[in-house]
Amino acid sequence: MSDKKIIAVVGSTGAQGGGLVRAIMSDPGGSFTSRAITRDVNSAKARALADTGAEVVAANVDDEASLATALKGAYGAYFVTFFWEHFSPEKEKAQIGNMARAAKAAGLKHVIWSTLEDTREWIPLSDTRMPTLMGKYKVPHFDAKGESNKVFTDQGVPTTFLFTSFYWDNLIYFGMGPRKGPDGKLAFTLPMGDRKLPGIAAEDIGKCAYGIFKKGSEFIGKSVGIAGEHLTGKQMAEALSVALGQEVVHNAVSPEAFRSFGFPGAEDLGNMFQFNHDFEHVFCAVRNISVSRALNPSLQTFETWLARNKASIPLE
Ligand SMILES: NC(=O)c1ccc[n+]([C@@H]2O[C@H](COP(=O)([O-])OP(=O)(O)OC[C@H]3O[C@@H](n4cnc5c(N)ncnc54)[C@H](OP(=O)(O)O)[C@@H]3O)[C@@H](O)[C@H]2O)c1
């Protein structure tokens, strides 16, 4: 039997968890191996993970008992929730409770929890500069995660709080790519004015997380923020122009305009971009590029990411 330490990975068939499983399994000389957690061990993505040598086990984060079983014998775990599947902060909070209790029961030595800020610490509900959403949140998909950090602390789970950044992959999978305007020109819409947005290649999140596990106890009880670069919308549009070989302009709409776009989650994202804009220094300071590169020496810049992914960006 292998004496490697097992890292159980929630969301293993997704962006963050998938990157971590691949990072661990592509380092056969390392002291870790991975256990990929999925609801469907027979899916094509799960089978692809098994092909890397990862153990693939079934569990559902809605079901604490299934999770506790999946964590047995593991050294550590990577936990992430899936807001955009259900748009429910309450569901995220229930899943986080299940994860923390299951981690405690399994006696895990190190958990990385993929969290985000509780923006209400900076913009209380009484602050009218942005609307309150769902009755008690400013940025629901941030606030529920940040509010829940204490659940791990309260359970006494040895946890690293990982603050991730905007995935550049959103330009491919999340409808954030440049679109043709009425003038026929490509425009990249980002309601950030001239402020910087920390961004990252989604695959690098897992690589940074692997770097944290490799550091042993150094980051336990600590918060770590990661980003590949901090860029303005104008800088991103310029990089897109070079990569795509055609002009892309920055469409710096206001957060109010973004909130009114009407697609599911538009208000949440409009508030998120306004928070990132209004608290640029706080938000960028948390996400340190040098720390990220030390954890993951192959950390991509936006330019590198574009060179590898430009052909996949839909241009409508
Ligand atoms: N997009 C961004 O820029 C960004 C930036 C920072 C943070 N985030 C946060 O990232 C989170 C999503 O992470 P991601 O992008 O890695 O997700 P993802 O790529 O959408 O993958 C989610 C995976 O999680 C699994 N999953 C979903 N529900 C599950 C359940 N009930 N039990 C067990 N597994 C379940 C699914 O796997 P199976 O189908 O195989 O079970 C799925 O493949 C969101 O909460 C979001 O707020 C996003």
Side-chain angles (χ1 to χ4, degrees):
M1 193 179 144
S2 161
D3 58 1
K4 285 182 184 269
K5 295 177 188 159
I6 299 166
I7 304 293
V9 182
V10 164
S12 63
T13 57
Q16 298 192 23
L20 176 57
V21 173
R22 287 184 286 278
I24 295 172
M25 300 316 293
S26 61
D27 183 12
S31 51
F32 295 96
T33 188
S34 79
R35 180 182 291 165
I37 295 176
T38 169
R39 291 166 299 181
D40 178 7
V41 296
N42 294 312
S43 73
K45 285 181 175 175
R47 286 202 309 272
L49 294 175
D51 288 345
T52 69
E55 180 188 3
V56 179
V57 304
N60 188 324
V61 296
D62 291 324
D63 174 0
E64 185 183 330
S66 76
L67 196 54
T69 304
L71 297 180
K72 268 191 193 146
Y75 159 86
Y78 186 83
F79 290 145
V80 54
T81 46
F82 317 103
F83 182 84
W84 302 107
E85 282 202 3
H86 47 70
F87 296 86
S88 165
E90 308 312 317
K91 189 162 180 162
E92 280 192 294
K93 288 196 273 190
Q95 293 176 341
I96 295 162
N98 289 343
M99 292 179 196
R101 286 185 296 273
K104 173 78 175 172
L108 298 188
K109 303 284 187 295
H110 191 178
V111 159
I112 297 179
W113 156 232
S114 177
T115 188
L116 290 166
E117 283 85 351
D118 182 344
T119 63
R120 297 164 298 182
E121 289 174 24
W122 290 270
I123 311 179
L125 296 185
S126 58
D127 191 323
T128 54
R129 89 185 90 169
M130 64 174 69
T132 292
L133 303 177
M134 301 180 186
K136 52 179 173 174
Y137 302 104
K138 287 299 188 186
V139 184
H141 80 283
F142 270 52
D143 297 349
K145 293 182 179 76
E147 178 188 324
S148 302
N149 291 348
K150 64 174 176 358
V151 176
F152 292 95
T153 316
D154 290 350
Q155 287 287 337
V157 175
T159 305
T160 302
F161 302 91
L162 182 67
F163 289 75
T164 58
S165 289
F166 175 89
Y167 310 169
W168 292 321
D169 308 67
N170 292 338
L171 274 61
I172 303 174
Y173 303 110
F174 209 68
M176 293 284 303
R179 300 226 171 137
K180 275 212 173 83
D183 59 358
K185 272 194 187 164
L186 284 172
F188 171 57
T189 299
L190 194 71
M192 293 284 296
D194 60 358
R195 305 287 167 85
K196 290 184 172 174
L197 175 68
I200 195 163
E203 191 72 10
D204 278 334
I205 297 175
K207 290 184 179 178
C208 290
Y210 181 42
I212 291 171
F213 280 122
K214 285 197 291 185
K215 292 280 186 187
S217 59
E218 188 177 325
F219 288 101
I220 289 176
K222 303 219 168 90
S223 295
V224 188
I226 53 172
E229 271 188 291
H230 302 161
L231 295 171
T232 63
K234 184 165 177 280
Q235 288 172 320
M236 291 181 77
E238 283 166 3
L240 279 160
S241 303
V242 173
L244 299 172
Q246 54 180 309
E247 189 186 6
V248 178
V249 294
H250 175 210
N251 182 25
V253 296
S254 67
E256 292 77 21
F258 197 95
R259 280 193 283 272
S260 72
F261 282 170
F263 63 83
E267 288 185 301
D268 186 327
L269 291 173
N271 281 7
M272 175 192 81
F273 285 123
Q274 187 172 347
F275 170 74
N276 295 351
H277 175 278
D278 291 359
F279 297 91
E280 179 197 25
H281 294 299
V282 173
F283 198 73
C284 287
V286 166
R287 291 156 174 82
N288 184 300
I289 297 162
S290 313
V291 169
S292 309
R293 183 154 288 114
L295 291 168
N296 166 24
S298 66
L299 187 76
Q300 295 174 62
T301 60
F302 188 47
E303 191 185 347
T304 326
W305 180 87
L306 277 173
R308 292 178 191 168
N309 293 280
K310 62 185 175 186
S312 305
I313 299 174
L315 303 176
E316 297 157 26

